[in-house]
Amino acid sequence: MAGYMNNGYGGYAPTPYYNPLQPQMDRLAQMQSQYQPPQQTQIPQTNQGILWVQGEAGAKSYLVAPNTSVLLMDSEESRFFYKDNG
């Protein structure tokens, strides 16, 4: 009988099953338990190139690089500011 061996008393007992892939499966499970996904860095969100400032004072204090311009939206009122440093 395949899978059974004589236990010495006339009866048959099942043989222990050996899976040759078990050590590799155990190692895979160990590696998976140790895996930590990489941390995602938060990228500041700009609303499609529009920068938000707090009132006219925020717009006046916003620094603009030479030869560039920016559109600044007021977070306190429904208005915008255009700054040009060209």
Side-chain angles (χ1 to χ4, degrees):
M1 284 185 164
Y4 288 88
M5 64 180 201
N6 190 333
N7 64 6
Y9 298 102
Y12 288 94
T15 58
Y17 176 73
Y18 173 73
N19 181 355
L21 298 178
Q22 190 63 40
Q24 294 167 345
M25 291 168 44
D26 291 343
R27 175 131 168 81
L28 177 62
Q30 180 185 14
M31 289 171 60
Q32 286 174 337
S33 69
Q34 293 173 350
Y35 174 74
Q36 294 180 359
Q39 296 281 337
Q40 292 185 348
T41 57
Q42 294 265 341
I43 299 172
Q45 294 291 322
T46 57
N47 192 3
Q48 299 178 0
I50 300 171
L51 303 166
W52 293 88
V53 293
Q54 193 170 10
E56 187 175 349
K60 286 182 178 180
S61 66
Y62 190 86
L63 297 176
V64 180
N67 300 318
T68 60
S69 58
V70 293
L71 179 64
L72 305 170
M73 294 297 294
D74 190 344
S75 63
E76 297 175 342
E77 296 184 34
S78 297
R79 61 183 176 173
F80 66 91
F81 306 96
Y82 177 78
K83 279 190 92 168
D84 183 34
N85 191 6

